[in-house]
Amino acid sequence: MDYNFSEIEPKWQQFWRDRKTYHVENDSPKPHYYVLDMFPYPSGAGLHVGHPLGYIASDIYARYKRLRGFNVLHPMGYDAYGLPAEQYAIQTGTHPAVTTVKNINRYREQLDKIGFSFDWDREVRTCEPKYYKWTQWTFIQLFKHYYDNKANKALPISSLKERFAKQGTEDLDAACTEPMNFSADEWDSWDEAYQQQVLMNYRLAYLADIPVNWCAELGTVLANDEVVNGLSVRGGYPVERKLMRQWSLRVSAYAQRLVDGLEQLDWTDSLKEIQRNWIGRSEGAAVWFPLDVKSNENVLPGAQAYMQQFDPQPVPSFEIFTTRPDTIFGVTFMVLCPEHELIDRITTPEQKAEVEAYVSWAKNRSERERQAEVKKVSGVFTGAYAINPLTEERIPIWVSEYVLAGYGTGAIMAVPAHDSRDFAFARHFNLPIRQVVALEKDVVSDPTTWTESMDAKTGYSVNSGFVTGMKVKDAMKAVIDRIDDMGIGHKTVNFRLRDAIFSRQRYWGEPFPVYYKNGIACTIPEECLPLELPDVSEFKPTATGEPPLGHAEKWAWDEQNRCVVEKIKIDNKNVFPLELSTMPGFAGSSGYYFRYMDPHNDEAYFSKEAVRYWQNVDFYVGGAEHASGHLIYARFWNKFLFDLGMAVKEEPFQKLVNQGMIQGRSNFVYRSKADNKLFISKGLIKNNNDVTPIHVDINIVSNDVLDIDKFRAWRPEFADAQFELEDGKYICGWEIEKMSKSMFNVQNPDDLVARYGADTLRMYEMFLGPVEQAKPWDTNGIEGVFRFFKKFWRLYHDDKNNFCVNDTEPTKAELKVLHQTIKKVTEDIERFSFNTSVSTFMICVNDLASLKCNKRSILQSLAVLIAPFAPHIAEELWHLLNNESSVCDASWPIYDEQFLAEDSFKYPVSFNGKMRFTIDLPADCSQDQAISAVKEAADYQKWTGGKEPKKIIFVPKRIINIVC
RNA sequence: GCGGAUGUGGCGUAAUUGGUAGCCGCGCUAGACUUAGGAUCUAGUUCCUCACGGAGUGGGGGUUCGAGUCCCCCCAUCCGCACCA
């Protein structure tokens, strides 16, 4: 064998390890560059070929940047906390830590074979105490800060306390769970416990009774992004809404900054758009609608008392949010969500039974049922009326599921003519519909004839009092001004983004650094961190329904700030219970990129020097599935640390590329229905109904040809299989499906490395297509890349496999090939287009082979060029040429732009297999003049032998192309 | 429903960014060397046509000397959000 990758690759991997080639220091005269991959969750299944795709791409970029003279930080680690290891523990009793370490070792083994340039000295694992110490530390800071909307940043909760003592809530504009209003005297009059309760309302990490996504099957609550279509992302179990006391992070306080920050980022538009949608900023107005006092006399006392805690106005009223204040003249009913606290207080005795029935029906519906029946209209009339503050009309108040508790105020003004949901509701319950917007001035029609509402925010107001005739945009502003003047509303902004629920009733996660003293949540002192995860006897919830940490023997906090055995609590009043929930998966992954900057620091999360040097991640590669989870939380985390003066940049990830998902390509054999020992080759099937397709392991199929012997050996029931062959082969069918064990279509990278080598795997994964694009895995083409390497090898080895180079000066044609290649590859890498660079290398080697070029200086440059893609063969070539140093310390070759431009006519070694000449002409040159100028050129004669050109393309500007 | 993207040979893809459409690779066809080849090399391979020639980048229209690329209208596929007022 000539190109012996299995000898070359381990040799150079060891060489890099011995030399610590990829070790990075935190200071260097070189410019810094930070290339990061989303770290993996080490699952039991190991890596499949989809995982390394992004790692290979970022590795190429990191290696390229190093060769370009940058000090590159390119670390790797593990997102090691998570549900699968814990589920496995429940089933088998194996401790999740054991499973996790085992899986990590397997991942590491697989990664090492591919030849990545990670600095493994900086590895982090989120489940290790020295790492999660800082996750807990950040949580404590979040607990100790609140968000001040005027300063537009997080401020210490201690300053808020001082403020309350001095002036109460006067002039305070802060993010909170419930709006509050009190004076300094009131604050002073409250006891410690109540004061703490009030502060909890403002903390960025807070405890509150909130509706959560409860997954009974997993026994835990889940964040919004962990639930899709009413099912848990992990496991696909049903999720229900439930009111529970939980820790949350006040991510919503940062909503505006999370939207604004997107602009300066070098992310794809689609990803930014997903985030914008998820944050869901919408501008509108908050308006107070007074209740109709006369028609609600019998229910008013209760309602009045309830509402006056928000609004001390004499007339009881409730708040709605609308994005269409201009349509307020078209309101024909109001709708409250079933959870609205006002319902009980305003419902008339006649309607009471019906309303209660509806509310309890709506509350007991699962999220899934509700979402599945979105189009179905349901609702009930409360019997109460509100007053439209601008028209003083009496408006019926309804209750319906289509109004959501979690958004706005859970109450709306319904304008059926201009909102499709209100329209459907009005039609269903026969409520009036009134047009207040028209496309043309004064052109109105009868809304009872409409089949749909007119939702667009264009046209003019009609039938709308003082805004009639105005454009919609102006009318919005005019209505807001008017309600503002009347003191019954104001312009406001609402976000769809909710706070992130931060507790999980699970074992395998970061413990909260929190204990409860007389029911008040306190954080443990920072110097006591980390609070280590205790061992438990069982991973299931306790008999009393507490999270698994309830099983821990030593899990309470004493006054000497020590973790102690909980049993002491019974006879010792100075021992306090610790929080039993643990943190969710995204806790550890929200700030891991900081820790890589300074991974061994025990005094701080990361040093000031380290963060000042590295700043933030320049280039981040990972899947788009994290768009509304990790990438929001990490940005929030970063902004918070920025407010604390720790982060230097407000955004964590400057440039981001989403690698596409790799799907599986399954193979099928077709079993005859008439004879279940008989398998018919794909091309011979006459009728699809005669055969049953059966998934067959892709490892016993090559280029869709079945290895019959391996198939017979694969499973006992196929041992005596018979085949109907075409041309002596059994051809399998194929289909694109998810890569999964059950479909036998998982391609394991180790198998490919063993068969073709890491360099071939790396190149082939890039060759498959643009990194960003989702594509099926297809091993069929890998031979082509493998052939390329063999050809490359033969370029500088003779028939007997002896190294053989030519020391003479390269010819201009050879230089032309080299410079073209340098130019193309450099440009391709810069724009992250690695599939085209691979093509470029193939063309280059083809051209050099046909020129029989094995010139030392050309190969020298080529070794460096190919090093980011195929580091092993590049290192081997480098040592054959230089017998010293490492290709990793070389510098990137520079191409000569002038040489390429000036000589393009003279040296037409082309990239498309045909000869093409390009010549510059004067701007006013005519076509005939151009053609004769070309034909007369000495070099044209030289290269074509004076043959008549096949085709001449005249481009008026000043270029002419001739194809020979 | 709203938002975002994509559409090029049998297949994966490319196109100097408005200038030869199909580079490179897979597959396929023929040939060479071989005891043999799942090795290597050479030639061919968008489609129709024996050929001359013609058609052609999802479909239709437009701008331009010139459109895969820019603009408008459809169609299809994929992804994200989904009663967010």
Side-chain angles (χ1 to χ4, degrees):
Chain A
M1 187 186 233
D2 30 22
Y3 164 50
N4 190 353
F5 59 85
S6 54
E7 190 185 299
I8 294 170
E9 293 182 351
K11 177 171 76 183
W12 297 118
Q13 285 170 6
Q14 191 57 48
F15 173 78
W16 297 323
R17 261 195 296 276
D18 293 345
R19 276 183 31 131
K20 286 193 162 290
T21 303
Y22 305 121
H23 181 78
V24 196
E25 292 292 340
N26 275 356
D27 74 286
S28 160
K30 294 178 188 172
H32 60 88
Y33 202 85
Y34 189 173
V35 181
L36 182 67
D37 294 288
M38 288 185 188
F39 62 170
Y41 173 77
S43 87
L47 292 173
H48 65 63
V49 286
H51 297 111
L53 183 82
Y55 305 156
I56 294 168
S58 63
D59 195 58
I60 289 170
Y61 203 74
R63 286 174 181 274
Y64 167 74
K65 277 285 178 185
R66 269 188 218 110
L67 294 168
R68 288 310 295 249
F70 286 81
N71 187 34
V72 177
L73 176 55
H74 187 220
M76 182 48 85
Y78 304 96
D79 187 12
Y81 272 136
L83 280 180
E86 186 168 350
Q87 293 293 80
Y88 186 73
I90 292 171
Q91 284 160 24
T92 64
T94 313
H95 197 284
V98 174
T99 317
T100 303
V101 168
K102 192 173 138 241
N103 292 347
I104 285 176
N105 291 339
R106 167 99 179 99
Y107 265 56
R108 177 66 192 272
E109 209 178 283
Q110 289 187 295
L111 289 171
D112 279 349
K113 285 186 189 161
I114 304 174
F116 291 116
S117 63
F118 297 127
D119 177 1
W120 283 107
D121 293 343
R122 292 179 184 251
E123 180 197 287
V124 300
R125 299 179 183 188
T126 55
C127 66
E128 282 186 348
K130 66 177 185 183
Y131 177 88
Y132 67 64
K133 175 177 180 178
W134 303 107
T135 309
Q136 293 174 330
W137 181 87
T138 310
F139 174 84
I140 294 177
Q141 307 315 309
L142 285 161
F143 181 81
K144 289 183 173 170
H145 285 79
Y146 77 104
Y147 198 86
D148 190 298
N149 289 327
K150 281 188 180 154
N152 207 13
K153 63 185 285 197
L155 293 176
I157 209 91
S158 55
S159 70
L160 185 66
K161 238 168 131 175
E162 284 165 25
R163 185 187 183 118
F164 285 158
K166 226 181 337 184
Q167 60 193 80
T169 53
E170 199 188 327
D171 271 344
L172 178 72
D173 182 6
C176 57
T177 314
E178 295 281 347
M180 295 185 99
N181 229 324
F182 55 82
S183 66
D185 289 341
E186 282 173 285
W187 172 261
D188 281 335
S189 71
W190 293 331
D191 63 6
E192 171 71 14
Y194 192 71
Q195 284 186 347
Q196 284 300 327
Q197 208 177 308
V198 170
L199 289 177
M200 195 59 98
N201 190 44
Y202 294 91
R203 296 181 191 274
L204 285 174
Y206 65 94
L207 202 53
D209 293 309
I210 38 172
V212 297
N213 307 301
W214 171 255
C215 179
E217 199 72 31
L218 293 172
T220 186
V221 301
L222 297 169
N224 285 336
D225 68 283
E226 294 169 322
V227 181
V228 172
N229 294 331
L231 297 175
S232 65
V233 172
R234 290 262 179 217
Y237 303 115
V239 171
E240 54 182 312
R241 279 323 254 188
K242 201 171 162 183
L243 204 68
M244 286 177 77
R245 194 160 180 77
Q246 297 290 316
W247 286 101
S248 290
L249 299 188
R250 210 177 295 285
V251 180
S252 59
Y254 282 83
Q256 186 62 54
R257 280 167 67 186
L258 288 169
V259 177
D260 295 342
L262 287 172
E263 258 167 60
Q264 56 178 68
L265 296 179
D266 194 7
W267 296 12
T268 60
D269 289 339
S270 75
L271 190 70
K272 286 187 190 181
E273 208 47 44
I274 292 173
Q275 290 223 335
R276 276 193 205 103
N277 275 339
W278 188 260
I279 299 166
R281 182 184 194 277
S282 50
E283 276 182 28
V287 188
W288 288 90
F289 274 67
L291 283 175
D292 178 14
V293 180
K294 283 175 209 114
S295 63
N296 293 307
E297 264 169 351
N298 46 353
V299 291
L300 267 179
Q304 192 150 9
Y306 166 71
M307 283 179 297
Q308 279 184 357
Q309 71 186 66
F310 306 110
D311 185 49
Q313 291 176 63
V315 182
S317 54
F318 64 100
E319 193 182 21
I320 59 99
F321 172 73
T322 179
T323 53
R324 293 296 301 273
D326 59 302
T327 61
I328 195 165
F329 291 89
V331 177
T332 55
F333 57 101
M334 314 287 296
V335 188
L336 305 178
C337 66
E339 293 85 355
H340 206 282
E341 289 172 277
L342 201 52
I343 296 173
D344 287 346
R345 304 166 197 266
I346 61 168
T347 303
T348 57
E350 309 83 73
Q351 295 296 110
K352 201 172 170 73
E354 207 185 330
V355 169
E356 276 175 1
Y358 181 77
V359 168
S360 79
W361 171 80
K363 279 187 181 164
N364 285 324
R365 265 156 58 97
S366 73
E367 271 298 281
R368 235 181 130 208
E369 281 174 320
R370 208 183 58 74
Q371 288 188 8
E373 294 170 13
V374 157
K375 294 229 164 76
K376 224 167 149 186
V377 178
S378 71
V380 64
F381 177 45
T382 60
Y385 291 83
I387 300 284
N388 184 328
L390 292 192
T391 63
E392 299 188 353
E393 275 171 295
R394 212 162 150 257
I395 304 164
I397 303 173
W398 286 66
V399 177
S400 174
E401 262 197 322
Y402 86 88
V403 175
L404 303 179
Y407 185 78
T409 57
I412 62 153
M413 62 177 214
V415 185
H418 304 289
D419 180 285
S420 52
R421 294 149 308 182
D422 297 347
F423 185 82
F425 194 83
R427 274 286 151 84
H428 189 265
F429 289 106
N430 249 324
L431 295 161
I433 298 170
R434 187 189 310 153
Q435 182 179 12
V436 287
V437 175
L439 287 176
E440 305 276 336
K441 263 187 195 178
D442 304 325
V443 179
V444 296
S445 59
D446 178 9
T448 57
T449 64
W450 294 5
T451 53
E452 58 179 11
S453 55
M454 236 185 73
D455 292 12
K457 291 181 190 175
T458 51
Y460 299 87
S461 288
V462 293
N463 298 328
S464 298
F466 69 97
V467 296
T468 300
M470 285 189 195
K471 280 191 175 166
V472 161
K473 286 223 166 84
D474 301 328
M476 283 188 193
K477 203 178 170 297
V479 170
I480 291 172
D481 287 347
R482 175 65 62 95
I483 58 171
D484 219 341
D485 289 346
M486 293 165 74
I488 55 158
H490 54 92
K491 187 175 168 177
T492 186
V493 175
N494 246 303
F495 294 93
R496 209 182 72 98
L497 183 73
R498 316 279 167 82
D499 289 344
I501 299 162
F502 206 58
S503 323
R504 296 292 180 276
Q505 287 66 39
R506 303 294 303 209
Y507 171 70
W508 192 231
E510 298 85 352
F512 279 83
V514 169
Y515 63 91
Y516 295 90
K517 197 172 175 177
N518 307 322
I520 297 169
C522 308
T523 51
I524 68 172
E526 285 172 26
E527 59 272 20
C528 300
L529 293 176
L531 177 63
E532 294 202 24
L533 183 69
D535 261 326
V536 291
S537 50
E538 252 192 285
F539 304 105
K540 277 186 255 180
T542 65
T544 52
E546 285 182 324
L549 284 190
H551 292 296
E553 280 184 20
K554 195 178 157 188
W555 195 241
W557 200 249
D558 73 6
E559 283 201 323
Q560 281 76 52
N561 283 323
R562 291 174 311 197
C563 216
V564 294
V565 181
E566 191 167 14
K567 283 171 196 147
I568 296 173
K569 189 173 70 177
I570 301 157
D571 38 59
N572 185 341
K573 284 210 156 72
N574 298 327
V575 171
F576 315 109
L578 281 157
E579 169 68 49
L580 296 179
S581 303
T582 55
M583 298 187 197
F586 65 83
S589 60
S590 291
Y592 74 110
Y593 51 92
F594 281 121
R595 193 60 184 164
Y596 284 134
M597 295 176 182
D598 196 8
H600 306 298
N601 194 333
D602 287 330
E603 307 301 310
Y605 199 163
F606 46 86
S607 72
K608 281 198 156 59
E609 295 73 34
V611 75
R612 250 185 240 135
Y613 181 71
W614 294 111
Q615 307 265 311
N616 63 354
V617 178
D618 294 287
F619 188 34
Y620 198 27
V621 180
E625 66 272 20
H626 296 110
S628 48
H630 165 62
L631 288 174
I632 293 265
Y633 300 128
R635 293 181 62 220
F636 159 76
W637 202 269
N638 195 94
K639 283 175 191 296
F640 174 65
L641 292 176
F642 178 81
D643 286 354
L644 298 195
M646 293 179 61
V648 224
K649 290 277 181 85
E650 206 179 324
E651 286 289 339
F653 315 120
Q654 188 52 44
K655 180 176 165 66
L656 184 137
V657 166
N658 289 122
Q659 94 257 24
M661 263 233 272
I662 300 262
Q663 297 133 300
R665 186 179 187 278
S666 314
N667 276 115
F668 294 90
V669 291
Y670 299 93
R671 185 169 66 192
S672 163
K673 281 183 183 166
D675 173 1
N676 72 359
K677 296 286 173 213
L678 183 66
F679 294 84
I680 302 170
S681 185
K682 189 175 176 253
L684 302 175
I685 297 165
K686 291 176 195 88
N687 186 336
N688 284 334
N689 295 328
D690 298 343
V691 292
T692 316
I694 298 171
H695 277 97
V696 60
D697 192 334
I698 54 163
N699 292 304
I700 59 172
V701 178
S702 168
N703 284 345
D704 292 337
V705 177
L706 182 71
D707 185 321
I708 287 170
D709 293 336
K710 284 184 185 163
F711 179 72
R712 286 195 175 118
W714 185 42
R715 303 219 142 169
E717 67 262 39
F718 301 144
D720 52 354
Q722 297 299 309
F723 301 93
E724 245 178 62
L725 305 177
E726 34 187 330
D727 304 329
K729 295 179 203 159
Y730 186 95
I731 310 294
C732 299
W734 58 271
E735 223 166 280
I736 302 306
E737 296 173 302
K738 209 187 149 202
M739 204 174 267
S740 122
K741 270 185 180 170
S742 63
M743 295 167 183
F744 305 106
N745 63 2
V746 175
Q747 184 68 61
N748 178 308
D750 310 62
D751 296 344
L752 293 169
V753 170
R755 198 157 157 204
Y756 298 103
D759 286 339
T760 300
L761 175 71
R762 290 170 63 105
M763 276 273 210
Y764 184 60
E765 290 229 10
M766 293 302 101
F767 183 66
L768 225 43
V771 177
E772 300 90 331
Q773 200 173 296
K775 55 209 162 237
W777 176 261
D778 183 354
T779 311
N780 288 344
I782 200 168
E783 295 282 348
V785 176
F786 191 48
R787 267 174 222 153
F788 158 79
F789 280 109
K790 288 194 273 196
K791 202 182 240 184
F792 183 47
W793 184 261
R794 258 182 273 123
L795 213 50
Y796 49 91
H797 285 86
D798 62 19
D799 294 344
K800 292 180 181 114
N801 200 29
N802 291 314
F803 179 60
C804 173
V805 288
N806 181 333
D807 280 312
T808 58
E809 283 295 302
T811 65
K812 286 228 167 169
E814 289 164 345
L815 283 174
K816 168 97 181 188
V817 173
L818 176 67
H819 283 249
Q820 287 269 32
T821 306
I822 300 173
K823 180 174 188 297
K824 191 87 194 341
V825 170
T826 307
E827 285 168 359
D828 286 345
I829 295 179
E830 290 288 358
R831 48 183 251 261
F832 213 63
S833 167
F834 297 146
N835 55 329
T836 55
S837 340
V838 178
S839 294
T840 306
F841 283 123
M842 291 181 171
I843 293 161
C844 171
V845 168
N846 284 344
D847 282 350
L848 291 179
S850 60
L851 289 167
K852 300 207 189 317
C853 167
N854 60 345
K855 301 281 168 71
R856 180 180 289 276
S857 66
I858 302 268
L859 290 167
Q860 180 93 13
S861 298
L862 214 51
V864 183
L865 277 185
I866 207 165
F869 295 83
H872 310 88
I873 199 172
E875 191 75 90
E876 176 78 14
L877 173 55
W878 183 265
H879 279 77
L880 289 170
L881 291 165
N882 303 300
N883 203 19
E884 59 171 87
S885 73
S886 163
V887 72
C888 301
D889 303 324
S891 54
W892 192 253
I894 304 300
Y895 64 91
D896 187 339
E897 183 86 62
Q898 271 204 323
F899 170 70
L900 284 175
E902 280 174 9
D903 294 351
S904 64
F905 183 72
K906 293 181 188 165
Y907 304 101
V909 176
S910 65
F911 274 87
N912 56 9
K914 298 171 192 170
M915 277 194 190
R916 182 205 288 186
F917 305 85
T918 302
I919 186 171
D920 285 347
L921 297 165
D924 55 350
C925 181
S926 76
Q927 183 162 349
D928 290 343
Q929 286 171 320
I931 292 167
S932 48
V934 169
K935 283 186 182 169
E936 279 160 23
D939 291 305
Y940 175 80
Q941 299 291 328
K942 186 175 147 199
W943 282 95
T944 63
K947 271 192 292 184
E948 197 60 23
K950 257 190 200 164
K951 201 169 183 180
I952 297 181
I953 296 97
F954 178 71
V955 179
K957 297 246 163 92
R958 65 194 153 20
I959 297 166
I960 188 161
N961 290 329
I962 299 125
V963 181
C964 293

